Amino acid sequence: QSQAKLTAGPSAATPAAVVDWDEQAFSPVRGYPGMGATHRGRLYFGNMRDLPRGLCASAAGLPNYFLVGARDGDAFFEEVPDFKGQRVLHIVTADQGLVITDKAAYYLPETTNQPVTPSTIDFKFIAPIAAAAARPAPTEQGFAYIEAGTNRVIGILPTGSPSQPWQAQDLSVFWSQLLTGPIALGTNEATTGFPERYAFAINTDGSAACVKYQAPSAPVPIGWTPWDTANAKYHAIFPAGGSMWAIVEHTSPAAWTLEQFDVSLLLDCAQSYVYVSGTPSLPFYTS
């Protein structure tokens, strides 16, 4: 057993400054993402508090692995173009990834055999139309979103052109009297039982408007119609389990209901007569 005596300690010199350094994008200091979506096997994050243009994607097939790398399957962190300063609000998965900000809309060029990778990611411009915070709604042709600060519903629809595969289209032209402040969208996409496809816009007052859209060869809608329920406000309209559903707040009597759309009832207040001892019983069904 031996011993040694320390005659000098480490010096307290100040480390030299460097220009190449990293800092966490998500932290109590920098904030956390306000948006998450999946596309082509990756988990995407956006709407970051201190990095508004940032877009973060997990490794392919590994939604909890975010170590950034250069290989095709690695995670990556990119920023959308600096278009007058913008914030990533939505990522929508279609044939290609679609990125919508509070200033513009973009698509990620990719094919079935060549998905987005760290070396191929690019942001291709579609239109300078800002999105509101409301979640976009998918359609069979593409998707729709609410333009920020307006009463317009914008559709992002395929063009069939390889050089410019997407176009923006106003789906609400001439119908501003029904869209008095849209705050949410819904569609019956993925429902079964009937061929027609409908989209719904919910206004700030709880009223709703409905539009039927046509085949991919004729994506322009016919027109909007009011969709009202007496003494009630719509909060959400959405497809689930092959059916169409709505969350409705009733004021008289006061109640919240989860309502299923019945494909076999094509008229409001449609209900068979029920006879009890020769007396018809006519229960009241609001809309």
Side-chain angles (χ1 to χ4, degrees):
Q1 185 177 18
S2 60
Q3 295 179 339
K5 182 178 180 181
L6 298 177
T7 58
S11 84
T14 302
V18 297
V19 296
D20 185 11
W21 55 280
D22 294 323
E23 183 180 357
Q24 288 182 225
F26 312 154
S27 71
V29 176
R30 294 299 180 191
Y32 296 93
M35 179 278 299
T38 57
H39 175 64
R40 294 282 185 99
R42 297 181 187 267
L43 175 61
Y44 285 77
F45 287 122
N47 195 10
M48 306 171 197
R49 193 192 71 188
D50 289 358
L51 295 169
R53 293 196 294 125
L55 184 67
C56 182
S58 73
L62 299 172
N64 61 345
Y65 191 82
F66 284 86
L67 182 61
V68 175
R71 296 175 301 178
D72 286 352
D74 287 342
F76 57 82
F77 190 101
E78 297 290 336
E79 289 184 315
V80 298
D82 190 10
F83 183 74
K84 300 180 180 179
Q86 56 186 321
R87 176 175 294 275
V88 175
L89 294 179
H90 310 290
I91 297 176
V92 180
T93 181
D95 290 338
Q96 296 172 318
L98 302 161
V99 180
I100 313 300
T101 76
D102 62 352
K103 295 291 190 299
Y106 303 86
Y107 72 92
L108 304 177
E110 55 184 330
T111 65
T112 302
N113 299 324
Q114 180 57 66
V116 171
T117 69
S119 61
T120 63
I121 184 171
D122 192 10
F123 299 93
K124 296 295 187 180
F125 185 75
I126 300 176
I129 304 178
R135 183 179 180 180
T139 70
E140 289 183 338
Q141 294 86 22
F143 74 97
Y145 68 94
I146 299 171
E147 182 182 8
T150 74
N151 294 336
R152 295 204 306 169
V153 176
I154 304 300
I156 299 296
L157 305 172
T159 65
S161 170
S163 60
Q164 184 64 34
W166 300 96
Q167 65 176 337
Q169 185 178 74
D170 186 353
L171 302 181
S172 54
V173 62
F174 306 129
W175 298 99
S176 59
Q177 72 275 18
L178 295 182
L179 302 174
T180 58
I183 57 172
L185 296 176
T187 67
N188 69 342
E189 188 257 353
T191 58
T192 59
F194 53 96
E196 295 85 4
R197 288 292 176 255
Y198 298 95
F200 303 86
I202 301 175
N203 295 310
T204 52
D205 61 2
S207 64
C210 173
V211 63
K212 174 186 174 184
Y213 58 88
Q214 304 175 61
S217 59
V220 179
I222 297 173
W224 293 76
T225 58
W227 193 277
D228 298 323
T229 295
N231 302 316
K233 296 180 179 180
Y234 285 97
H235 286 266
I237 300 174
F238 58 93
S243 298
M244 193 71 185
W245 302 82
I247 297 175
V248 186
E249 178 186 5
H250 294 270
T251 57
S252 180
W256 284 73
T257 59
L258 175 62
E259 303 181 6
Q260 182 180 12
F261 289 60
D262 192 335
V263 177
S264 64
L265 300 179
L266 302 181
L267 298 174
D268 286 350
C269 300
Q271 172 66 28
S272 300
Y273 281 44
V274 179
Y275 282 86
V276 180
S277 301
T279 302
S281 175
L282 302 177
F284 178 73
Y285 288 88
T286 303
S287 291

